[in-house]
Amino acid sequence: MGIIKRQGIQNTVISYAGVIIGYINTVLLLPRILDEELVGLTRLLLTIAVLYAQFSALGFANAGVKFFPYFRDKANQHNNFLVFFLGIPLVGFLAISLLFFLFRDVIINYYIKESPLIINYYYYIIPLGFFTLLFNLFNAYLTSLYKTVVPSFIQDFFLRISITLTILGYSWGLYNFEVFLLLFVVANCSTALCLLVYITWLKQLFIRPELTALKEKPLKSMVRYGLFALLGNISSTIIISIDTMMIGHYLGLGEVGIYTTAAYIASVILIPGRSLYKIALPQIADFWKTENTVALAKLYKQVTRMNLVIGCLLFIGIWANIENMFALLPPQYSQGRYVILFLGLARLFDLATGINGHILITSYRYRSDLILNILLSVLTIFSNLLFIPAYGIEGAALATMLSYVLINLLRLILVWFWFRMQPFDKTSLQIISLAAVSYLAGVALPYLFNTPVDIAIRSALITLIYGAGILFLNLAPELTKKLQSMLLNNK
């Protein structure tokens, strides 16, 4: 757990620094500089590019993390792993690109009524998809090498600073929207190139095609696993992104802009989990390889407890400051209030159920997670078809929440049924109870002076009550020990 805690905390610090910048970009700058339709355009382009990359990857990002322990040998250039790991997805990208050209009219007709603006920038999706694919593959490779801090810095900090500069340049009149969008695409593509430079600097870029090094490696198992992971990843991506894509079809880019801005605020809750998962995933794969289920069960509880502690604080902090959030946004964004609530609850439940999905996808039962994802992607599509026309963007958020709750409940049950592991104990209820008390104290505070002051004092009160309770009751021993260590080292 040592490397997980150390890099997890480093990743979390980087992520939250990125969140501050992302908040400035998403909440303070973009809605005031661009109208909501143009904000929606940037978000929809990125959403489609993510789906493009997932189809192209053929599941190899997951397969690489699971099977890299069988290839790991730096002296032998990791048995030519990287050539195989990158080569198959690049073939997949060419195939998906061909389909992207062939079905252009179908895609355009889907959006032409409510979101015609996206048609003008249709081909921007191709470079975005390609470099998103490369970033995901390089990130998976570095995760397998237990090198997660620099990728986090590039994705969560460097990219967002680049976007900030791009937005400011447009707001100062240095260029028009066409140039702004081009620079926005370049900034998003640059992250993959940064990881390539980092891998080269680590002297881990082994791309000489020597097929003899692969003869005794589990290639067939890796390909088979990758194909199952592909379907699972596509299903997961549908669950995550279909709401944005369908809002663009039914309601238009303006509603996409409002929805995705609210979704970004709620997504802050997931940051501690993402930071821990980056380094926990390869260790889970190693535990399965060595059949160390005792250590895996311990890791399951530790990661879940840390996620729940931080996730609850973030959720109550956001919802206690919901009026302040919308005071900082243009008036039309206030319709995203319950989007934040539903998506916030979905993210919190996803965080609270721990690493159950990662345990399933790296185990010999990985096919079950595929089946769950396929069933739930179908549920997500149909629930969005029903809820978006009836309830607008709030319906999309409700559909997402139901999908997240159901998939994680089923995963939780299966991990317990097959492996006799579950992540909760009495501290889980104590954490939730403490969060409820802290929230009530926060909302009981009257409005203070102005919005920034009110946010600062209200958030400080909630954090003080919640943090004191966590430390006094010792509800998060891992975080308490780390804090004590930091305090002792500073003396």
Side-chain angles (χ1 to χ4, degrees):
M1 185 68 182
I3 190 171
I4 291 181
K5 286 193 290 185
R6 184 174 64 255
Q7 292 199 33
I9 290 170
Q10 290 173 337
N11 286 331
T12 300
V13 171
I14 292 169
S15 296
Y16 281 114
V19 163
I20 295 172
I21 302 168
Y23 180 86
I24 292 170
N25 292 343
T26 307
V27 178
L28 300 182
L29 293 180
L30 275 176
R32 296 181 180 279
I33 294 170
L34 302 178
D35 64 39
E36 60 269 25
E37 184 179 25
L38 297 181
V39 173
L41 172 65
T42 63
R43 306 314 303 172
L44 187 57
L45 287 172
L46 291 177
T47 298
I48 298 174
V50 168
L51 194 60
Y52 198 119
Q54 289 288 6
F55 273 102
S56 300
L58 301 176
F60 264 56
N62 295 83
V65 175
K66 177 176 172 60
F67 285 93
F68 184 76
Y70 298 93
F71 292 79
R72 192 194 310 271
D73 185 354
K74 187 176 180 181
N76 290 321
Q77 300 189 352
H78 300 309
N79 294 288
N80 218 37
F81 170 83
L82 197 56
V83 173
F84 183 65
F85 184 60
L86 296 176
I88 301 299
L90 290 177
V91 173
F93 174 78
L94 292 176
I96 297 302
S97 297
L98 178 61
L99 294 175
F100 192 70
F101 281 104
L102 292 177
F103 288 91
R104 178 182 180 276
D105 291 342
V106 175
I107 298 171
I108 286 176
N109 288 336
Y110 185 74
Y111 286 111
I112 197 166
K113 181 179 179 182
E114 296 293 340
S115 304
L117 187 61
I118 196 173
I119 310 307
N120 299 334
Y121 306 99
Y122 181 81
Y123 291 109
Y124 283 30
I125 295 169
I126 296 175
L128 278 172
F130 177 71
F131 284 98
T132 301
L133 169 66
L134 286 184
F135 180 87
N136 291 342
L137 293 172
F138 290 150
N139 188 37
Y141 179 54
L142 288 165
T143 296
S144 299
L145 296 171
Y146 292 97
K147 300 291 184 181
T148 63
V149 175
V150 170
S152 293
F153 175 82
I154 291 170
Q155 184 177 35
D156 296 329
F157 190 84
F158 170 78
L159 173 60
R160 287 170 176 166
I161 283 289
S162 301
I163 298 298
T164 303
L165 295 175
T166 303
I167 296 169
L168 290 176
Y170 176 72
S171 70
W172 293 334
L174 299 180
Y175 38 77
N176 60 21
F177 179 76
E178 299 288 336
V179 176
F180 162 80
L181 195 60
L182 181 61
L183 292 174
F184 178 83
V185 171
V186 170
N188 278 278
C189 293
S190 67
T191 56
L193 299 177
C194 290
L195 288 194
L196 178 60
V197 171
Y198 179 53
I199 292 170
T200 304
W201 180 79
L202 290 173
K203 298 181 179 178
Q204 297 280 359
L205 186 65
F206 306 124
I207 53 173
R208 286 186 297 177
E210 298 176 4
L211 298 180
T212 54
L214 298 171
K215 283 185 178 180
E216 297 181 359
K217 300 303 174 183
L219 298 184
K220 290 184 180 179
S221 298
M222 187 173 172
V223 172
R224 184 166 56 248
Y225 179 89
L227 292 176
F228 275 98
L230 167 65
L231 295 175
N233 287 343
I234 291 171
S235 300
S236 298
T237 305
I238 287 173
I239 294 169
I240 294 169
S241 61
I242 196 65
D243 48 3
T244 300
M245 296 173 69
M246 293 179 72
I247 289 170
H249 168 69
Y250 283 109
L251 306 176
L253 290 175
E255 297 296 294
V256 171
I258 294 170
Y259 180 84
T260 53
T261 300
Y264 177 82
I265 295 172
S267 71
V268 172
I269 296 168
L270 285 177
I271 289 174
R274 288 172 179 166
S275 301
L276 284 173
Y277 295 157
K278 285 180 181 180
I279 192 63
L281 185 55
Q283 192 151 38
I284 295 168
D286 284 337
F287 285 152
W288 279 125
K289 182 187 175 184
T290 58
E291 300 182 355
N292 192 350
T293 55
V294 174
L296 180 55
K298 181 180 178 181
L299 177 67
Y300 192 16
K301 284 184 177 292
Q302 288 176 324
V303 171
T304 298
R305 183 165 54 242
M306 292 176 71
N307 280 347
L308 189 60
V309 166
I310 303 174
C312 282
L313 175 61
L314 293 172
F315 177 76
I316 61 176
I318 290 171
W319 195 244
N321 283 290
I322 193 67
E323 297 297 336
N324 289 325
M325 294 282 184
F326 289 111
L328 297 173
L329 286 163
Q332 62 268 31
Y333 282 80
S334 63
Q335 62 180 293
R337 177 186 307 272
Y338 289 103
V339 172
I340 295 175
L341 176 63
F342 294 145
L343 293 183
L345 289 171
R347 307 311 188 210
L348 181 59
F349 192 81
D350 189 40
L351 207 59
T353 47
I355 52 176
N356 49 38
H358 297 296
I359 289 173
L360 285 175
I361 199 67
T362 53
S363 74
Y364 65 91
R365 298 279 191 176
Y366 63 85
R367 293 176 181 84
S368 63
D369 199 61
L370 166 66
I371 295 170
L372 288 178
N373 278 327
I374 291 175
L375 289 174
L376 282 157
S377 63
V378 172
L379 170 65
T380 303
I381 291 170
F382 277 103
S383 59
N384 274 283
L385 283 171
L386 290 174
F387 292 164
I388 291 176
Y391 305 110
I393 58 175
E394 292 176 354
L398 179 60
T400 298
M401 184 184 74
L402 293 175
S403 298
Y404 267 92
V405 170
L406 182 55
I407 192 171
N408 282 296
L409 277 177
L410 291 174
R411 283 172 172 162
L412 197 68
I413 292 168
L414 289 177
V415 170
W416 167 249
F417 181 76
W418 283 324
F419 310 121
R420 286 298 182 263
M421 299 179 198
Q422 66 86 22
F424 300 116
D425 52 32
K426 66 178 182 180
T427 61
S428 303
L429 286 176
Q430 291 175 305
I431 292 167
I432 294 171
S433 300
L434 179 60
V437 171
S438 304
Y439 169 75
L440 292 175
V443 296
L445 192 69
Y447 181 76
L448 300 169
F449 311 117
N450 61 49
T451 298
V453 171
D454 189 80
I455 290 175
I457 295 178
R458 195 177 303 275
S459 300
L461 176 64
I462 290 172
T463 303
L464 180 63
I465 295 171
Y466 186 77
I470 294 293
L471 293 174
F472 180 76
L473 298 173
N474 196 28
L475 299 181
E478 300 83 10
L479 294 176
T480 303
K481 289 178 183 177
K482 185 64 179 178
L483 179 61
Q484 290 172 342
S485 175
M486 291 170 62
L487 292 174
L488 289 173
N489 290 335
N490 288 331
K491 286 185 177 180

